[in-house]
Amino acid sequence: MIGVASSKSLLPNPLGLVLTALPESVSDARRLLSREAIFFSRQSAPYFEAIAKKRNGKALIHSAAGVALLGEMLREMKLPQGKLTLRRLENGRPYIENLSLDFSISHTDNAVMCAVTRCGAIGCDIQSERSYSDEKLDSLAKFFMIDQQLAEFAASDDKKAYFYRLWTVKEACFKCVGGTLKTADLNPYSAVQTFTEENCFCAVCLRKEVT
């Protein structure tokens, strides 16, 4: 399941995504957090308190929207209220305690995305298109593209689309399978899906359990 929350106009989407709007203010975000906290167990309080203490208003709004998308998906999956505990690993990655389910949350300027799976590990990424010059794109590309991808990027008719599509794919795969950003998308056991939502490029990487 994939959800995207956007403060821009919500377009019809071919993947049947769940769409909601971003909170318009920090006050709205705090109210949203309070509402969502009821769905999770009391042991999740430190998770919600850490979000509420964020001093950066945009970060708080993004985090609240991400939790709301997660809660919406879990309710859609008929999971019980008050029984799920949100925690974070030492590296900061959130997880739900004692539940065979993985989720990933990503945000960009005016949008937040969340993806959930019961089948292995998942990672997602969303990036809004920025007004980078060709020189800036070329410079950034060297940090995360392997040689073959750099050659394809240089020969592309739409370098900006190639850049953002591959960037989101690599970020999503890195969150899902680990490794390095340059090679995360080369994992043979992962599957990737990409799409666009208005001016945002999105990617989801799923790694199924190998038996």
Side-chain angles (χ1 to χ4, degrees):
M1 299 178 70
I2 307 165
V4 176
S6 175
S7 62
K8 303 175 183 179
S9 61
L10 302 179
L11 302 179
N13 125 38
L15 300 179
L17 309 184
V18 178
L19 302 176
T20 59
L22 285 179
E24 295 183 357
S25 67
V26 169
S27 296
D28 288 343
R30 292 186 188 281
R31 282 192 289 270
L32 185 60
L33 276 177
S34 297
R35 187 194 75 188
E36 290 300 324
I38 297 172
F39 178 71
F40 293 91
S41 72
R42 293 181 178 180
Q43 288 71 33
S44 301
Y47 184 96
F48 286 90
E49 289 169 0
I51 294 175
K53 289 179 181 178
K54 290 186 176 183
R55 296 183 178 181
N56 184 303
K58 180 173 285 189
L60 197 158
I61 288 171
H62 283 161
S63 295
V67 171
L69 278 176
L70 175 63
E72 188 171 346
M73 293 179 183
L74 298 178
R75 287 188 287 273
E76 183 68 23
M77 298 168 73
K78 309 300 183 185
L79 293 176
Q81 179 172 321
K83 302 294 185 181
L84 306 178
T85 300
L86 275 170
R87 298 196 186 277
R88 288 188 183 275
L89 299 173
E90 290 185 2
N91 63 6
R93 197 181 198 278
Y95 71 99
I96 299 177
E97 192 173 63
N98 300 322
L99 183 65
S100 181
L101 176 149
D102 193 30
F103 70 93
S104 178
I105 298 173
S106 178
H107 62 79
T108 187
D109 295 334
N110 292 307
V112 174
M113 177 181 182
C114 178
V116 177
T117 183
R118 285 182 176 273
C119 304
I122 200 165
C124 73
D125 192 62
I126 183 168
Q127 298 289 340
S128 58
E129 186 173 319
R130 296 167 174 80
S131 55
Y132 288 151
S133 65
D134 286 345
E135 291 75 17
K136 181 68 170 179
L137 290 177
D138 291 342
S139 175
L140 292 173
K142 295 175 183 177
F143 286 100
F144 67 87
M145 294 185 193
I146 61 175
D147 290 343
Q148 179 183 343
Q149 292 165 342
L150 284 170
E152 293 173 354
F153 170 64
S156 174
D157 293 332
D158 190 343
K159 293 181 67 175
K160 185 167 288 189
Y162 185 99
F163 175 91
Y164 281 105
R165 189 171 294 110
L166 189 57
W167 184 7
T168 56
V169 165
K170 285 180 177 286
E171 288 279 5
C173 290
F174 178 71
K175 294 174 185 177
C176 179
V177 303
T180 67
L181 194 60
K182 274 196 173 185
T183 61
D185 58 319
L186 306 179
N187 188 297
Y189 299 109
S190 61
V192 178
Q193 189 167 18
T194 62
F195 58 96
T196 57
E197 167 64 23
E198 205 166 295
N199 291 325
C200 294
F201 291 81
C202 309
V204 179
C205 178
L206 176 66
R207 183 188 66 190
K208 294 186 177 181
E209 298 293 347
V210 180
T211 57

